[in-house]
Amino acid sequence: MPKFYWLRFPEQSRYTGNLNARHKWGGLPGVRCPECGATWAGSATAYPSADLSSLPQREAYAEPRPEPFDEFVRLRELVRPLVPPGAQLLPGAELGPLVGTATGTFSPLFFYFATMPLMHREALELLQAEGVRGLRGFPTELRFRQKKHPELLELEILPHGRLHPDCTPERPPPCPRCGHDYFTRPDDPILEAASLPAHTDLFRLTDFETMLIGTECFVEAVRHLELEDVDCRELLLR
């Protein structure tokens, strides 16, 4: 049986990196749902490959705000051709390259901000050479105070797979219109084996996008290359 790991920035690290940054084009607005009554923006996924420069309505994505459901759908469908096929595009999904300032030191795999996972270019190339699949890194527009700093790429990590219902609380079914389905992350996550992808070694979960998941291939490559700084916790499958 394949193994899957929850990837996190370790609680103790010698790295001091910090970001004051956002994505260039903003992102999808939040949504006000007329059916369930929720106002929410739950995405933790960014699409740094998205280029809205030729979209006349690009200013509509600049400021975060809630919109009525029909307007949210209209804005979501305008950008769908600009993101990878199968992108989940939840309310709040961010678009474009990362822009801002970076201070401190950054590990080769910098997963401190799950919404903005970064990797040194050299680390990305080494992992790809080891046969790790599905890694897509995009240039950032980060400004550093120090002259000597690594070239940081932002990973575009798409959502695939789900938590198994046995580890999540009992709750009403998701809203059939907007999909709202709030629950807290379980202390002991279990992955739904049948939902896990077979084509990529790094992904987010569709129902908990802040959880980054790596396959055994990814984790073995990271350990073999002695890349810092990521905590790898094997998860149960069911």
Side-chain angles (χ1 to χ4, degrees), residues 22-223:
R22 65 192 300 270
H23 290 91
K24 184 171 186 175
W25 304 111
L28 291 179
V31 65
R32 293 196 297 266
C33 180
E35 186 154 339
C36 69
T39 297
W40 65 286
S43 179
T45 299
Y47 298 95
S49 64
D51 181 1
L52 273 60
S53 58
S54 61
L55 189 67
Q57 302 90 343
R58 59 184 175 273
E59 291 301 321
Y61 303 88
E63 296 297 329
R65 67 200 183 282
E67 289 284 3
F69 180 75
D70 289 346
E71 176 62 5
F72 164 77
V73 170
R74 185 184 76 86
L75 293 172
R76 181 188 66 192
E77 296 312 306
L78 284 174
V79 299
R80 190 174 295 281
L82 306 177
V83 299
Q88 190 160 240
L89 288 178
L90 295 179
E94 298 187 10
L95 304 164
L98 197 58
V99 178
T101 58
T103 56
T105 57
F106 289 81
S107 55
L109 280 67
F110 192 76
F111 291 169
Y112 184 77
F113 301 98
T115 56
M116 296 180 273
L118 300 173
M119 190 177 288
H120 292 202
R121 178 178 288 279
E122 294 85 353
L124 178 66
E125 292 172 350
L126 287 169
L127 287 169
Q128 290 172 331
E130 289 281 316
V132 176
R133 302 164 302 162
L135 297 183
R136 301 183 72 211
F138 293 88
T140 61
E141 298 177 17
L142 294 171
R143 302 183 304 279
F144 286 80
R145 290 182 179 175
Q146 62 268 39
K147 290 183 179 180
K148 188 176 180 180
H149 58 80
E151 182 182 1
L152 294 179
L153 302 179
E154 184 178 10
L155 297 178
E156 190 169 70
I157 305 177
L158 302 186
H160 300 284
R162 301 180 60 83
L163 292 170
H164 195 279
D166 287 354
C167 74
T168 61
E170 291 188 12
R171 60 197 187 280
C175 174
R177 190 161 189 185
C178 74
H180 185 252
D181 181 23
Y182 175 79
F183 61 93
T184 57
R185 186 179 64 207
D187 293 332
D188 296 305
I190 300 170
L191 301 180
E192 186 177 70
S195 72
L196 299 175
H199 66 283
T200 182
D201 292 310
L202 181 63
F203 56 96
R204 302 175 182 274
L205 293 181
T206 58
D207 54 354
F208 224 102
E209 290 186 343
T210 56
M211 289 186 66
L212 305 181
I213 307 296
T215 65
E216 187 173 9
C217 173
F218 181 90
V219 171
E220 286 183 349
V222 166
R223 290 171 175 168

